[in-house]
Amino acid sequence: MRLTLVISGLGSGGAERVLCRLANCWVQRGHEVTLLTLSSEQPFFQLDSRVRHLALGVDSPSRSLFQALSANTKKLRVLRRAIADSSPDVVLSFLDTTNILTLFATLCMGLPVIVYEQTDPFHNDQLPRIWRALRRVSYPLAAKVVVQTEAVLTRMKPLLGKIVTAIPNPVVDPGVRHRAHDASLAERKWIIGIGRLSKEKGFDLLLEAFAQIADKHVDWSLRILGDGPAFASLERQIRNMGLEGRAFLLGRTSDPFPILVESSLFVLSSHFEGFPNALCEAMACGLPVISFDCPSGPSEIIRNGVDGILLPRENLSALAEAMDSLMSEPDKRNRLAAHAPEIIQRFGLERVLDEWEQLISEVGEGSY
């Protein structure tokens, strides 16, 4: 089947990583895949050479309403032509604004379009009001709207009916060499957080929680992996809290597994999520995890008390207390870590790919 995938760009974010992984798997399963990006940047994550990547170069910033209208009109025209030239059986779009543009660009083309919503739209207040209105108008035009969790599915069903379905992000087995072992967990003293350095990830809360207990655990350090607009403010916070030499911003990487396997504890401090890849990858590596029970994802990933700890959303004191507890008790860390890799069976790559295959087949055959 000929698949055309559309996304704004191929930077270092979680959605981009998932898209590259799916594109690679689909060509390996015999599909013909064209990947269209609105930006001109090169992929941060590796793409199979059989994936045909076309960078359209139309994703430039706008400084006024007139420029925005002009830019988006151009995007629609260029995107429509590129989709038509790729002669797809099914179009798949990733991320909210790109989903909206793709749905409008394909109007009256007779093409089934699947849009993939990678966050919780009910809690993502960063999308401008005009785009939220356009989303309400455009999403019913899709053949299918794919969300990542049952919680989001439940909330979107009344709005979109049978066209909305849930498929989680796939969890890849990191392999034995990237799997933590009980004996070494007791020796390593790294707390790790991973994600885009932006407000919604709550790394400021993670730093505050660590600061509350850092003097009690002088042999522990905190490492945050990622990049983004909050880098400078988090650096400032580290200095102001006197955490230099104890808390580190490591930048971004295309492969977090070597760093994860060297860590002792993973913490997710987000205000909201979609289906957090970093949390799943930490568990796949056999790490004990702590997460706020934010919307959405963590409560469907973590089995509280079995393979991780769920905390009330944005509860700083609870976060500091949970971190203190696991840092103090290696046996407790090991007990959670022993069950963490079961995430691979629950959300394994092949299982998720089979769900996508079934959906693409239904949409391509018009049986949805």
Side-chain angles (χ1 to χ4, degrees):
M1 191 173 290
R2 292 187 304 274
L3 307 178
T4 293
L5 282 52
V6 187
I7 193 168
S8 175
L10 289 175
S12 59
E16 292 84 352
R17 191 174 188 203
V18 169
L19 179 142
C20 290
R21 183 170 290 156
L22 291 174
N24 292 341
C25 289
W26 283 329
V27 293
Q28 290 162 14
R29 287 191 169 201
H31 296 292
E32 183 180 324
V33 177
T34 298
L35 175 51
L36 305 177
T37 54
L38 301 181
S39 74
S40 56
E41 67 182 330
Q42 291 301 303
F44 183 76
F45 301 105
Q46 186 172 359
L47 278 175
D48 190 296
S49 60
R50 291 167 290 182
V51 176
R52 180 172 172 252
H53 173 218
L54 297 177
L56 303 181
V58 292
D59 199 21
S60 56
S62 302
R63 295 183 178 85
S64 67
L65 178 60
F66 176 78
Q67 280 188 342
L69 290 171
S70 177
N72 284 310
T73 300
K74 181 180 179 181
K75 286 178 189 177
L76 289 172
R77 185 175 66 253
V78 172
L79 181 56
R80 183 180 180 90
R81 184 168 61 244
I83 291 172
D85 289 345
S86 67
S87 302
D89 298 306
V90 178
V91 178
L92 297 100
S93 177
F94 291 70
L95 300 178
D96 40 30
T97 56
T98 305
N99 292 344
I100 295 163
L101 289 168
T102 301
L103 288 166
F104 285 131
T106 53
L107 278 174
C108 302
M109 291 180 71
L111 293 173
V113 179
I114 300 172
V115 299
Y116 195 16
E117 182 65 64
Q118 283 264 320
T119 187
D120 186 336
F122 296 91
H123 293 88
N124 182 7
D125 58 1
Q126 297 180 341
L127 191 67
R129 185 176 300 176
I130 181 63
W131 284 102
R132 280 180 277 177
L134 290 171
R135 181 172 57 192
R136 286 194 297 271
V137 172
S138 63
Y139 272 28
L141 302 173
K144 285 289 183 179
V145 175
V146 177
V147 297
Q148 298 177 302
T149 67
E150 294 297 325
V152 175
L153 176 64
T154 298
R155 289 195 291 271
M156 290 190 76
K157 274 278 189 185
L159 304 174
L160 294 171
K162 66 180 182 180
I163 70 168
V164 64
T165 189
I167 301 179
N169 282 343
V171 179
V172 176
D173 189 338
V176 174
R177 71 188 183 92
H178 285 151
R179 194 73 53 75
H181 300 287
D182 290 356
S184 56
L185 274 175
E187 299 168 5
R188 293 192 301 274
K189 306 292 185 181
W190 290 6
I191 303 166
I192 185 75
I194 300 178
R196 176 172 163 78
L197 304 188
S198 52
K199 181 181 177 181
E200 72 272 13
K201 296 299 183 181
F203 288 123
D204 56 330
L205 297 179
L206 177 55
L207 284 168
E208 287 185 44
F210 180 66
Q212 290 183 17
I213 57 175
D215 289 344
K216 184 178 177 181
H217 302 279
V218 294
D219 51 347
W220 282 76
S221 62
L222 170 63
R223 294 156 194 252
I224 297 174
L225 190 62
D227 199 3
F231 190 97
S233 64
L234 292 173
E235 231 178 11
R236 234 177 359 258
Q237 186 179 0
I238 289 172
R239 288 196 303 271
N240 293 341
M241 288 182 163
L243 292 176
E244 292 166 298
R246 300 290 307 279
F248 306 90
L249 303 179
L250 302 183
R252 63 182 187 173
T253 179
S254 61
D255 182 9
F257 290 129
I259 297 173
L260 281 169
V261 78
E262 290 298 323
S263 303
S264 300
L265 174 63
F266 176 89
V267 179
L268 184 83
S269 52
S270 299
H271 296 281
F272 65 88
E273 279 286 349
F275 191 88
N277 296 317
L279 175 61
C280 295
E281 289 169 346
M283 295 173 70
C285 285
L287 286 186
V289 298
I290 297 171
S291 175
F292 284 141
D293 187 9
C294 66
S296 61
S299 64
E300 297 180 31
I301 294 169
I302 293 175
R303 296 169 296 180
N304 192 30
V306 176
D307 50 21
I309 296 176
L310 277 173
L311 303 172
R313 183 185 178 193
E314 300 171 358
N315 190 320
L316 183 60
S317 60
L319 178 58
E321 183 179 341
M323 290 168 62
D324 179 31
S325 174
L326 288 189
M327 291 159 73
S328 303
E329 302 178 56
D331 288 344
K332 189 173 182 180
R333 296 202 305 274
N334 289 334
R335 188 166 61 251
L336 297 174
H339 294 285
E342 293 167 11
I343 192 78
I344 299 168
Q345 281 72 50
R346 294 164 56 212
F347 302 108
L349 178 61
E350 292 302 316
R351 174 180 169 180
V352 171
L353 281 171
D354 287 343
E355 291 185 43
W356 272 108
E357 287 281 359
Q358 182 178 347
L359 181 65
I360 289 169
S361 178
E362 290 175 1
V363 168
E365 295 169 0
S367 57
Y368 55 93

